[in-house]
């Protein structure tokens, strides 16, 4: 049951990532062209064209936070929880990436806005799903399953005393077994 809950966390993380990166990408596109967009992606003002430092920094920060949440954050959780997180994130993010390509032809058909930005959440998904940072994080999430393999506790063997009072580990304290190959 916990893995399902972690899967939902991953799905929410993926949707938030695509949405926030989409909003910031629209703001960056607007600033490069000298336009200021509101959250509905409608033209709110005109400014001189400039380099969008803050939106680019925001995309980097949000992507780094998502990378941490997918790799380092859950490293001490059971493998099933980590798999649930990655599967939820990957499925929701890839679904939104696919949706971003499906809704893309609407721009040419409807000629809705200057610069081809769809209004509202459709524009966020369209731009966020097309960002390479989002694509890279899906690959990183899937690869993160091999970053922290489950650690199996060391079990005493016959050569190390087998937990019978020899030079092996102590089961009560959890000490690692010591193998001394120099003595017989």
């Amino acid at each position: 049951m916990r893995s399902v809950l972690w899967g939902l966390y991953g799905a929410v993380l993926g949707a938030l990532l695509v949405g926030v990166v989409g909003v910031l990408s629209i703001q960056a596109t607007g600033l490069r062209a000298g336009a200021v967009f509101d959250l509905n992606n409608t033209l709110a003002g005109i400014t001189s064209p400039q380099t969008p430092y803050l939106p680019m920094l925001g995309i980097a920060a949000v992507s780094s936070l998502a990378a941490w949440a997918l790799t380092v954050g859950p490293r001490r959780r059971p493998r099933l929880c980590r798999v649930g997180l990655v599967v939820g994130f990957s499925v929701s993010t890839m679904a939104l990436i696919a949706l971003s390509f499906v809704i893309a032809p609407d721009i040419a058909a409807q000629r809705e806005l200057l610069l081809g930005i769809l209004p509202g959440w459709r524009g966020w998904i369209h731009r966020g799903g097309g960002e390479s940072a989002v694509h890279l994080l899906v690959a990183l999430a899937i690869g993160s399953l091999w970053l922290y393999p489950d650690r199996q506790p060391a079990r005493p063997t016959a050569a190390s005393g087998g937990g019978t009072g020899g030079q092996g580990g102590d089961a009560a304290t959890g000490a690692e077994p010591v193998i001394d190959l120099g003595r017989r």
Side-chain angles (χ1 to χ4, degrees), residues 17-176:
L17 176 73
V18 171
V20 170
V21 168
V23 168
L24 292 171
S25 177
I26 290 170
Q27 296 301 319
T29 301
L31 286 175
R32 280 189 199 108
V36 177
F37 292 104
D38 61 8
L39 287 179
N40 198 27
N41 306 336
T42 57
L43 188 62
I46 297 175
T47 184
S48 61
Q50 54 189 326
T51 304
Y53 293 114
L54 285 178
M56 291 182 343
L57 183 63
I59 290 171
V62 168
S63 299
S64 298
L65 183 63
W68 180 87
L70 289 166
T71 58
V72 179
R75 71 183 177 274
R76 289 194 170 91
R77 297 287 179 187
R79 182 161 180 79
L80 201 55
C81 293
R82 289 180 290 160
V83 168
L85 178 72
V86 167
V87 167
F89 175 81
S90 299
V91 167
S92 71
T93 305
M94 287 191 290
L96 289 173
I97 289 170
L99 181 62
S100 76
F101 290 113
V102 169
I103 63 175
D106 283 359
I107 296 170
Q110 296 178 6
R111 296 181 187 11
E112 289 181 344
L113 288 175
L114 177 68
L115 298 176
I117 297 174
L118 295 170
W121 62 268
R122 293 185 322 150
W124 304 344
I125 291 173
H126 178 247
R127 288 299 176 123
E131 284 288 323
S132 60
V134 174
H135 302 164
L136 179 65
L137 279 171
V138 171
L140 177 71
I142 294 169
S144 73
L145 293 176
W146 288 275
L147 277 178
Y148 303 105
D150 283 340
R151 294 184 180 100
Q152 297 296 329
R155 296 175 191 225
T157 63
S160 67
T164 59
Q167 291 191 355
D170 184 8
T173 62
E176 292 286 326

